[in-house]
Amino acid sequence: SLYVGGGTPTVNRRGLLQILAHLRVRFSLDCDICVELHPAHMNDDDLVALKDAGVTLLSVGVESTSDHLLQRIGRIHDGAQALHALERARRIGFRTINADLMFALPGQNLEHWRRDVHRVLAAGVDQLSTYPMFTFPYSDRGKELGARSVERPSGKTIRSMLRFTDEACRNHGFERCAVWSWKRPQRSKFSSITRHRYVGFGPSAATMDGAHFSVNTFDVEAYASSLPDRRPVALSMAVDRRLEMAYWLYWRVYELLVPEAEFKQLFGEQESLAGRFGRLLSPVRAAGLARKTPDGYAITPAGAYWIHRLQNEYSLSYINRLWGACRRSAWPTEAVL
């Protein structure tokens, strides 16, 4: 799949279409093309142009359908605009339409969340992805609040909202496809973060090629001026075989299924999950967070909750340090993770 992120604005439609046309010439794009959009930048002309260009999967940053919550987190759209954008995208006919919703927002209660979930599901989306508000010290919101003023969601609130989301999605015929996502069966899944190996184009994009994990400079001018003489990589980390296996395991756990056959296909028939990660998987199974299946391992609902909590810590630590270093300098010397 080809993913294009960034909430593509209307004024950049021509540029995006030119990029897609160029990639079609340089690469064989017999695959899904996925674009992330902002509800305020989704007029019919844009959506038709994207569909004609071969875009098959859309992700829309709804975040909330409550106007006072959207204003509180600094979004420029309102709830009606977001729901209308989903309905127009569905009418134009993309293969999968994903909606992002944020939970545990400042001032948000369970009733607000229930209303958000019901409204988005009623709009006819094919996938719902949910996540808590991450407020990093270097972000605009983090600077506004101050790092010490950031309130973390309580475990009770997170558990209640995730439990409700799971029940509501299943009642609509959705299946859980990741710790934070649910989708209609037989529909293509929108996910830009779970690929094992990928190449990132553009400022701030990451690349995982199996031997290195690298991040491009965040500075647009530095990125442009470095090409074509040098790769615009700001930071790079060597990835050995064991770390690559762990990277694969991390995202399979996020998707709630850890298939033995895929592990062997990637790393060799002589390898096994138990042989490489038995010391980790055994206590996880004993705690009821995972179960053995004929195909590998499956994460239980209890395991999904605790993986969510661990990922929250991962995001607020790892991403904050890496992105923080890249935001402070176009070419940082290092980021200590």
Side-chain angles (χ1 to χ4, degrees):
S1 299
L2 171 66
Y3 288 86
V4 183
T8 311
T10 299
V11 294
N12 285 341
R13 180 182 70 186
R14 181 178 178 184
L16 174 60
L17 297 180
Q18 288 176 335
I19 291 172
L20 290 177
H22 179 73
L23 290 173
R24 285 190 181 279
V25 172
R26 303 294 296 181
F27 299 94
S28 174
L29 293 184
D30 184 18
C31 62
D32 281 319
I33 300 177
C34 320
V35 173
E36 299 178 8
L37 297 176
H38 190 289
H41 305 138
M42 291 177 61
N43 64 45
D44 284 349
D45 289 343
D46 290 328
L47 292 174
V48 170
L50 291 174
K51 190 170 188 299
D52 290 345
V55 173
T56 53
L57 278 64
L58 290 185
S59 182
V60 183
V62 174
E63 319 308 3
S64 177
T65 65
S66 299
D67 292 348
H68 73 285
L69 293 176
L70 289 169
Q71 292 172 3
R72 184 166 294 178
I73 61 176
R75 295 301 191 264
I76 63 173
H77 66 278
D78 59 31
Q81 189 176 23
L83 293 173
H84 186 50
L86 293 176
E87 292 166 359
R88 285 189 290 107
R90 184 188 62 180
R91 185 175 65 250
I92 288 173
F94 294 89
R95 185 176 303 166
T96 293
I97 300 171
N98 170 76
D100 285 344
L101 283 178
M102 299 175 69
F103 62 88
L105 295 171
Q108 183 186 47
N109 58 38
L110 185 56
E111 186 56 38
H112 293 140
W113 180 246
R114 287 174 175 166
R115 186 165 59 242
D116 283 347
V117 172
H118 282 311
R119 286 174 173 174
V120 167
L121 291 176
V125 299
D126 305 296
Q127 181 174 314
L128 174 63
S129 296
T130 66
Y131 53 98
M133 183 182 71
F134 296 127
T135 307
F136 304 111
Y138 65 78
S139 69
D140 293 338
R141 184 62 174 163
K143 291 176 181 177
E144 177 185 338
L145 294 175
R148 294 183 180 180
S149 302
V150 177
E151 295 184 6
R152 302 289 299 278
S154 69
K156 182 179 180 180
T157 298
I158 291 173
R159 192 185 292 270
S160 297
M161 290 182 170
L162 286 176
R163 184 184 302 116
F164 169 78
T165 309
D166 190 49
E167 293 173 356
C169 286
R170 292 186 187 279
N171 288 339
H172 275 76
F174 283 47
E175 60 186 14
R176 197 168 190 171
C177 59
V179 170
W180 295 348
S181 298
W182 292 259
K183 73 176 185 68
R184 296 183 189 276
Q186 311 305 319
R187 293 299 177 99
S188 299
K189 181 172 65 174
F190 191 107
S191 176
S192 59
I193 60 175
T194 60
R195 308 290 167 174
H196 181 58
R197 294 180 181 176
Y198 51 88
V199 177
F201 297 94
S204 79
T207 293
M208 169 63 175
D209 62 14
H212 294 85
F213 177 79
S214 58
V215 180
N216 292 343
T217 180
F218 279 41
D219 188 288
V220 176
E221 292 185 1
Y223 182 94
S225 63
S226 67
L227 297 173
D229 298 325
R230 58 170 286 190
R231 292 179 61 198
V233 172
L235 291 169
S236 182
M237 178 179 70
V239 176
D240 61 20
R241 183 176 175 82
R242 171 75 176 179
L243 184 57
E244 184 184 7
M245 290 179 176
Y247 182 90
W248 175 88
L249 178 65
Y250 177 87
W251 288 116
R252 301 295 75 72
V253 167
Y254 172 79
E255 293 183 316
L256 307 179
L257 293 173
V258 185
E260 184 85 43
E262 182 179 326
F263 184 73
K264 290 181 177 293
Q265 181 182 12
L266 284 170
F267 301 109
E269 289 296 325
Q270 75 281 3
E271 297 287 357
S272 70
L273 289 168
R276 285 287 183 172
F277 299 107
R279 291 184 179 181
L280 172 64
L281 294 171
S282 293
V284 169
R285 289 178 60 195
L289 306 182
R291 59 183 175 83
K292 189 73 175 68
T293 70
D295 300 323
Y297 296 85
I299 307 303
T300 65
Y305 168 75
W306 285 108
I307 292 165
H308 156 77
R309 296 303 303 271
L310 289 172
Q311 284 194 320
N312 198 359
E313 297 296 331
Y314 163 87
S315 297
L316 290 175
S317 175
Y318 158 76
I319 296 179
N320 184 51
R321 295 185 183 195
L322 178 61
W323 289 5
C326 291
R327 286 285 291 261
R328 287 189 294 270
S329 171
W331 308 108
T333 56
E334 66 175 2
V336 181
L337 306 179

